[in-house]
Amino acid sequence: MNTLILAQAAADAAPAVVPATVINLAYIVACVLFIFGIKRLGKTETARSGNAISSLGMLVAVIAIFLDGNVMKSWTTDWFMNGYLWCFGGIAIGALIGAVWAKKVKMTGMPELVALFNGFGGLSSLLVAASEYFKEGEKSEALSVSGISLYLTILIGAITFSGSLLAYGKLSEKISGKPFLFKGQQFVNALIVLAVLAGLALYMFPSIVPGVPAEQVQLVAICGAIAISLIMGVTVVLPIGGGDMPVVISLLNSLSGLAAALAGFVINNNVLVVAGCLVGASGVILTVIMCKAMNRSVGNLLFSGFGSGATGSKKSSGPQAEPKAVSVEDAYLVLEAARSVVFIPGYGMAVAQAQHVVKELANKLESNGAEVSFAIHPVAGRMPGHMNVLLAEADVPYEQLKTMDEINPMMPMQDVAIVIGANDVVNPAAASDKSSPIYGMPIIKASETRTVFVLKRGKGKGFSGIENELFTKENTRMIYGDAKATISALVSEFGKE
Ligand code: NAP
């Protein structure tokens, strides 16, 4: 979408040569492709083709934008040197960086990459709106749809940019991922909101400042809006951390879409408005789903510093006893006798890339007469749908995947739960410890099964950085080691029969 925004901004300067009807038709085709693409993203089996269809839509939109600028007729050397050279150069450099980055990024590094992309989306909308404001010649009236959109694009674009950079730092652990609250935070937030409203008033009605030319008042309002919004992005993301980070990513994603849609009004581009609205709306839906999964409201997530310790004592009570370890051979004997086994995958399964051997173990258990299911927590791993994607890659049948609400009532009937590199999503502190950063988050109730095997390398904590008393429960046994190696060893034990 960033390419789309910048392509339109560059093409704006050229007069039209292709009939407007053809261009609008191409825009409609692009929008239809976006919608079909997004629809197909809803299921793992169709997600790849959904991505390809949406990309095709984007290609159609970008080509249409170039033609919209009457390039064919006016493609003189001058025009090329001044306009399209920048545009094609930018697309080529951006595409190269994007392709290399996407190729190199590990699946576990996707959330921070998404956070950065959201930030760049916000930045491009901000730059387009700012260039519209600072360009020479006729400008939109401040009191018009495109004038007000310009101020709002700058505002939301800047919030998205600085907020996403901070989210990137937290997710990549370049800075502390913990929620950060300071004294008077609410007061500072209120001041920022007031400043933003005052800036909007000055921009729309510059004559309220007597004796100063209107352009100067508006210039101060615009520059002030950029500075304040950059600060606001930081103050919005600072109090969020730990297990709540997935929600903030989807929220920033939604804001980047909203900024792009508003930029569409500024530069009069319908396809940008539609694409921005689609991203904005899907981001809002995802935010609501993630909030539900974390048992939070958007309000208390953004403003209360939930999980920072403000709602209880700072220290988690933590486990009192030592976890008990078990050997692969002993674990095999229990699994061999089990009639029902539930796998609970988490981030560690992604790190170990254990999904294929997990499927092998599931096959062995099924051949041995056990009923197998997979309990999927909505925020397990590091991005929404992370576990679904990995398990689909290993051809785990869709019917075996159970949502948290489906599996929890069945947990007391399960013989064995195998927790594969999951930690926060099975941490009972979420239900019992009010001072815990994850208090209130629904969990998969692993401890209710007869026996729990926890596969992890050592004493590493989960994303939220807290102890987990599941590991010291009477019915829990730890199998230390890399998850892939442990599961492979279990598969070999079945092979020895
Ligand atoms: P988690 O709480 O981060 O725990 C992962 C566990 O995996 C660690 O305790 C680690 O322990 C173990 N591990 C790491 N590498 C391993 C390996 N090679 N083999 C075996 N174990 C390994 O994971 P989770 O339970 O899936 O919870 C996800 C967390 O991330 C939640 O707090 C969630 O809010 C947050 N988050 C989620 C998203 C999302 O969209 N899904 C995005 C951002 C953040 P050892 O070091 O001892 O091995």
Side-chain angles (χ1 to χ4, degrees), residues 171 243 246 290 346-348 351-352 379-384 421-425 455-464 481-483:
L171 282 171
M290 301 295 271
Y347 174 64
V351 176
V379 300
R382 289 293 181 271
M383 59 182 178
N423 195 335
D424 291 346
V425 300
L455 278 52
K456 66 202 295 285
R457 295 163 308 179
K459 300 218 160 146
K461 291 175 182 157
F463 185 80
S464 301
D482 175 75

Side-chain angles (χ1 to χ4, degrees), residues 102-383:
K103 194 97 194 133
K104 279 181 82 174
V105 72
K106 286 190 185 153
M107 194 70 160
T108 46
M110 284 300 279
E112 54 246 45
L113 187 68
V114 171
L116 263 192
F117 283 173
N118 289 341
F120 292 151
L123 180 65
S124 27
S125 302
L126 162 69
L127 289 176
V128 166
S131 71
E132 272 299 298
Y133 180 76
F134 288 108
K135 79 177 181 193
E136 284 171 11
E138 208 182 309
K139 286 178 198 167
S140 323
E141 283 290 316
L143 266 178
S144 64
V145 171
S146 60
I148 296 172
S149 300
L150 189 145
Y151 186 88
L152 294 178
T153 307
I154 285 180
L155 194 79
I156 298 172
I159 293 174
T160 313
F161 177 58
S162 59
S164 299
L165 285 192
L166 183 60
Y168 167 78
K170 285 188 173 209
L171 282 171
S172 57
E173 292 171 30
K174 290 190 168 43
I175 54 173
S176 164
K178 292 203 171 126
F180 179 78
L181 272 181
F182 56 88
K183 245 190 171 177
Q185 190 145 12
Q186 310 284 23
F187 179 67
V188 172
N189 282 339
L191 275 186
I192 289 175
V193 172
L194 276 181
V196 164
L197 291 177
L200 182 60
L202 284 179
Y203 170 72
M204 283 170 36
F205 309 104
S207 56
I208 52 178
V209 183
V212 185
E215 298 83 54
Q216 279 184 22
V217 175
Q218 284 180 325
L219 181 69
V220 170
I222 290 285
C223 294
I226 295 178
I228 293 169
S229 322
L230 287 173
I231 297 172
M232 194 169 172
V234 174
T235 59
V236 165
V237 177
L238 262 187
I240 308 171
D244 290 330
M245 284 309 285
V247 191
V248 84
I249 297 300
S250 52
L251 192 67
L252 288 166
N253 180 250
S254 166
L255 287 182
S256 75
L258 190 60
L262 287 165
F265 284 112
V266 175
I267 56 180
N268 253 326
N269 182 274
N270 296 341
V271 77
L272 191 52
V273 174
V274 175
C277 286
L278 286 173
V279 174
S282 47
V284 167
I285 294 171
L286 187 59
T287 306
V288 172
I289 292 174
M290 301 295 271
C291 270
K292 266 196 185 156
M294 303 298 290
N295 204 12
R296 314 276 198 245
S297 73
V298 179
N300 84 13
L301 187 93
L302 289 178
F303 303 114
S304 72
F306 214 96
S308 60
T311 50
S313 73
K314 291 235 178 226
K315 220 168 171 270
S316 163
S317 53
Q320 305 300 313
E322 271 295 301
K324 295 183 198 85
V326 71
S327 68
V328 167
E329 292 74 19
D330 289 347
Y332 161 71
L333 295 177
V334 177
L335 285 175
E336 212 253 335
R339 294 303 91 199
S340 51
V341 177
V342 54
F343 287 95
I344 309 174
Y347 174 64
M349 184 180 85
V351 176
Q353 283 295 296
Q355 61 275 22
H356 295 283
V357 280
V358 168
K359 164 76 173 141
E360 265 184 69
L361 181 59
N363 288 348
K364 297 275 181 203
L365 288 164
E366 277 187 308
S367 322
N368 194 43
E371 199 184 310
V372 172
S373 45
F374 290 79
I376 309 296
H377 192 284
V379 300
R382 289 293 181 271
M383 59 182 178

Side-chain angles (χ1 to χ4, degrees), residues 3-18 23 26-27 58-75 79-80 83-92 269 271:
T3 319
L4 193 66
I5 299 170
L6 296 174
Q8 170 66 37
D12 253 3
V17 66
V18 176
I23 299 297
Y27 284 167
M58 195 52 78
L59 183 70
V60 171
V62 171
I63 292 173
I65 283 172
F66 280 119
L67 297 177
D68 201 3
N70 198 352
V71 193
M72 305 319 232
K73 208 196 252 170
S74 62
W75 208 340
W79 171 212
F80 184 79
Y84 278 74
L85 186 63
W86 284 105
C87 219
F88 291 137
I91 289 179
N269 182 274
V271 77

